[in-house]
Amino acid sequence: MLTRLQIKDFAVVSAATVTFGPGLTVVSGETGAGKSLLVDALMLLSGGRGDSGMVRHGAERAELAAEFELDDTPAAAAWLREAELDEDGLCQLRRVIRADGGSRAWINGRPATVGQLAELGALLVEIHGQHEHQALLSRAHQLALLDGFGGHGHLVAEVRAAAEAWAALARRQAELARDGDPGERIDWLQHQFDELERENLAPEAIEELIALHRRQANAAGLLQGCERVLARLSGDDGFGISPLLRQAHSELQQLAADEPALGEAAALLDSAQIQIDEAAALVERLRDGFDLDPERLQSLEAQLARLHELGRKHRVPLEGLAARRDALAEELESLRAAGIDGETLALRMAEAQQAWQACASTLSAARAEAATRLGAQVAELMQELGMGGGRFEVALEPNADARPDAQGAERAEFMVSANPGQPPRPLRKVASGGELARISLALEVATLDAEAVPTMVFDEVDTGIGGAVAEVVGQKLRALGARRQALCVTHLPQVAAQGHGHYRVSKDVAEGSTHSGVRRLDAEDRVEEIARMLGGVEITETTRAHARQMLERAQAG
């Protein structure tokens, strides 16, 4: 429930604070005083579009704030919790519009986007104004009203879910048509994968293969080189390193008899001789292991050629082939997990359409029953609101498109006949502004139990009516106020008298500047205001008596 509204430097209002309680609160004032500015402020705080023209002339910015209690608004409380903007069961909305056109918003003191204001505002306030009546002309809005009246929320959700399931399959079918049957893709990928899987692509295996090929390709050269090295180390002609070292070692041992220090040199040559003999033995052993095997060389060359060909085919170096194989395996697994080919997909789409048809048929039956009840209730209320002999019907027309639709198998069209003897025609084609306002009010009363929003705002919905009809409109608004909070901007005394609370907006000019003020009226002030609305400029005692009588009768009712 709305409890407080604060306005500063907004249009012609320099500063105003308005408190609200339960029931119907009416706002009146002379033409041009700015009665609708309270409604405009609530619209902006609910995410409406703002511009610099709303800032009071000479001010830097307009500031708007509203406070709500959430005891009767569980949906808004849940939204705040989910958005992590909740604050001890209260909701404070604030918005600043700068003279340069910029805008900022806060929810419970924390920065918020205008989109968040709109989402939360839709759960807190429902505004019916001169422009908002136009929503009634939308067939989508009419269908939503019918479903709200009938309490079809769960059925609509089931139909929407079934339609979305079918739509997902339809998108998959379109992808198949564009990309081809995934079976062909799977076959191609499997062939690519099998080619790679047959090879040992581990990095160490590829390194070993390259080393083996290099050794086998150079086996002849290695044999010849080893023979030359062995000849130089231990040649039989006496000119190898090993025989020469033995000769030098022998001479040093003989000389050491006369000079013991030469024995150390002999020992070093002895160590060198051992190492040279070990080197010669290693070279000889390796030489004996070299095998001139043309078939082995050909096999290694073929294996390397396959790897290089795979590298060119997949456009990766040899060391990247393993990663490419793993990527193919992952794509194969993904496609197989999808597991839908054209034939299977068509079968699943048919099943999804049957499921939607079952849900949509149930919803269609419920809508037909609700349409009859809503038409009868609105038609009855139209009689009370001065549209005697008028008729109201809800026509349900099947969708031309046979595909599953998230809104169901039909569309709604509100049909109205404002005059006796004339057949009903679409509301969007026949209703005048005044008729539209009264039909809107009738619908609001008829669908009261379906409404979830705790605060309803009406901006001059009584336009174009008067007399006894105006009194009935006021009574209906008061009845709404008895069920949930209502705020009504009005110029009719019959409506103003029905309010549980009453504010007057007045306009003054001081120092060449226009100021609008908002003041709560007490009992005597209300008599004066109702008298002004009844009698115009000159207020007589008779007019005051009439005003007092209207208030007493309204409050007694």
Side-chain angles (χ1 to χ4, degrees), residues 435-507:
E435 291 171 340
L436 196 58
R438 279 176 278 174
I439 292 172
S440 172
L441 181 58
L443 280 164
E444 199 64 47
V445 173
T447 59
L448 179 61
D449 291 335
E451 294 287 349
V453 178
T455 300
M456 292 180 291
V457 180
F458 299 89
D459 185 13
E460 299 194 16
V461 295
D462 47 20
T463 299
I465 59 175
V469 174
E471 187 170 356
V472 172
V473 169
Q475 291 170 353
K476 296 302 180 185
L477 288 169
R478 187 178 177 86
L480 285 175
R483 300 286 294 277
R484 52 178 47 89
Q485 187 184 46
L487 170 65
C488 179
V489 177
T490 182
H491 65 281
L492 294 179
Q494 296 93 330
V495 175
Q498 296 289 336
H500 296 93
H502 193 157
Y503 279 91
R504 184 176 190 273
V505 179
S506 59
K507 180 173 65 174

Side-chain angles (χ1 to χ4, degrees), residues 375-392 417-418 420 438 442 469 472 476:
Q377 291 187 29
V378 173
E380 182 179 349
L381 288 164
M382 287 171 62
Q383 315 307 309
E384 300 179 43
L385 294 174
M387 302 177 73
R391 295 166 55 193
F392 185 90
S417 171
R438 279 176 278 174
V469 174
V472 172
K476 296 302 180 185

